Amino acid sequence: MSHPRLSIVIPAYNESARIEATLERVMQCVETERWDAEVLVVDDGSRDNTAEIVTRWMELFPRLHLVKNPGNRGKGYSVRNGLLQAAGDIVMFTDADLSAPMEEASRLIAAIDTGADVAIGSRWMERARQTIHQPLYRQFFGRCFNWITRTVMGLPFKDTQCGFKAFRRPAAQVIFRLQTIERWGFDPELLFIARKLKFKVEEVPVTWGHDERSRMSYLKDGMKMLEEMAVIRYNSVAGRYDKAIAAMKDTSDMVTAPVPHVVKVVSPTAQR
């Protein structure tokens, strides 16, 4: 089977309550839009039956795959694990709650097709596109965190945290192999690395609706992300990214290099 044009990665941790609805919407969108696409669900050590549900759906969809992390490692690890396994010319990730409707991926794809190496969804470029707003306290903490991120990391983007991003595959293979942050603070690191490597990053306004079931705590996880930003700045000042980049001979070496700690389950239908 030839490699797909698009790979959609969905990180999932204890998502049994909504993963079927998510898969139904994603697969329907793939069919409606006629995308040449594969879908990879990354199970981050779920304690419920998320993996079993995905495996059952794999019998119906040959290009649906399950990637299993070695235990619970965090969203950043899950996204990296999935995107490094992805075979598409364009690789993207979206949150399991589909806060940004899957159809909005067309906007990211269009940005890539017109020259961007990285396309990031933004909730704040056109606020009128927000269908369900966050509570005011979450908006306040979110905007404060974004301001701090832009200041500390030197990032010019209005929204670094939206879980809706796409990459040209060669760019993803470089960026994600340099990623060190494995939990909530991984998004700013990806953008920091992309700019360091002079990849073209385009911010794209997307429709977005807040999901009340969001597990992120702005106080607890926000403090952890601030700590992780300090780590990113330290790594940069210490030259760790530069040393890692220098150790990479070229993109083709990185594309063919093995990715450790990965278990990819392929549906029996896809193996025929």
Side-chain angles (χ1 to χ4, degrees):
M1 182 181 294
S2 62
H3 69 275
R5 181 166 190 264
L6 174 67
S7 294
I8 302 167
V9 172
I10 307 171
Y13 176 66
N14 290 344
E15 292 288 357
S16 61
R18 60 185 172 187
I19 193 63
E20 287 198 272
T22 296
L23 290 175
E24 182 176 5
R25 290 171 62 190
V26 170
M27 294 306 180
Q28 183 177 25
C29 181
V30 168
E31 181 178 354
T32 301
E33 299 291 332
R34 296 186 177 180
W35 288 333
D36 176 17
E38 67 171 357
V39 178
L40 297 88
V41 177
V42 184
D43 178 31
D44 190 26
S46 297
R47 295 189 299 270
D48 61 9
N49 64 334
T50 296
E52 288 79 3
I53 294 172
V54 176
T55 301
R56 188 168 65 247
W57 274 69
M58 285 161 55
E59 295 293 330
L60 302 174
F61 298 96
R63 280 190 165 182
L64 171 62
H65 309 298
L66 175 67
V67 179
K68 303 194 72 171
N69 289 347
N72 178 247
R73 297 292 297 268
K75 183 181 177 182
Y77 184 98
S78 299
V79 170
R80 179 180 64 197
N81 198 358
L83 265 68
L84 288 178
Q85 297 301 302
D89 298 322
I90 299 173
V91 296
M92 65 165 292
F93 67 89
T94 182
D95 290 337
D97 61 13
L98 297 182
S99 291
M102 197 65 241
E103 291 78 6
E104 293 291 272
S106 295
R107 302 175 68 85
L108 302 184
I109 294 169
I112 298 289
D113 285 342
T114 54
D117 297 298
V118 182
I120 65 173
S122 176
R123 298 164 290 186
W124 301 107
M125 289 185 73
E126 297 179 7
R127 293 194 62 181
R129 298 182 67 92
Q130 293 190 22
T131 57
I132 303 176
H133 293 274
Q134 294 176 310
L136 288 178
Y137 79 93
R138 294 184 72 91
Q139 292 187 42
F140 173 77
F141 280 113
R143 300 306 287 164
C144 286
F145 177 79
N146 191 63
W147 179 82
I148 294 171
T149 300
R150 295 175 65 176
T151 302
V152 174
M153 306 291 292
L155 299 175
F157 312 110
K158 292 182 179 295
D159 190 354
T160 61
Q161 296 304 117
C162 183
F164 202 64
K165 295 179 172 66
F167 308 76
R168 292 187 189 274
R169 186 169 185 271
Q173 289 289 321
V174 178
I175 294 169
F176 281 90
R177 290 175 189 274
L178 292 171
Q179 176 195 340
T180 62
I181 304 300
E182 297 187 344
R183 294 197 178 271
W184 292 106
F186 77 100
D187 289 276
E189 184 182 32
L190 297 180
L191 299 177
F192 181 82
I193 293 170
R195 283 173 54 81
K196 191 173 187 65
L197 292 169
K198 302 189 184 308
F199 284 125
K200 181 180 178 181
V201 182
E202 183 172 340
E203 191 170 14
V204 179
V206 294
T207 299
W208 185 85
H210 174 64
D211 191 324
E212 289 292 344
R213 295 170 295 182
S214 173
R215 296 190 180 101
M216 183 178 175
S217 164
Y218 270 106
L219 184 59
K220 178 182 176 181
D221 295 318
M223 292 302 294
K224 180 62 178 177
M225 284 192 284
L226 292 177
E227 177 186 327
E228 290 169 341
M229 277 194 291
V231 170
I232 296 167
R233 291 300 304 176
Y234 174 79
N235 286 342
S236 180
V237 172
R240 294 184 178 179
Y241 294 116
D242 293 326
K243 291 175 184 176
I245 293 168
M248 299 173 183
K249 294 180 181 179
D250 55 35
T251 302
S252 62
D253 286 342
M254 299 178 58
V255 170
T256 57
V259 183
H261 307 305
V262 170
V263 178
K264 184 171 179 180
V265 182
V266 184
S267 69
T269 306
Q271 293 177 323
R272 293 170 188 164

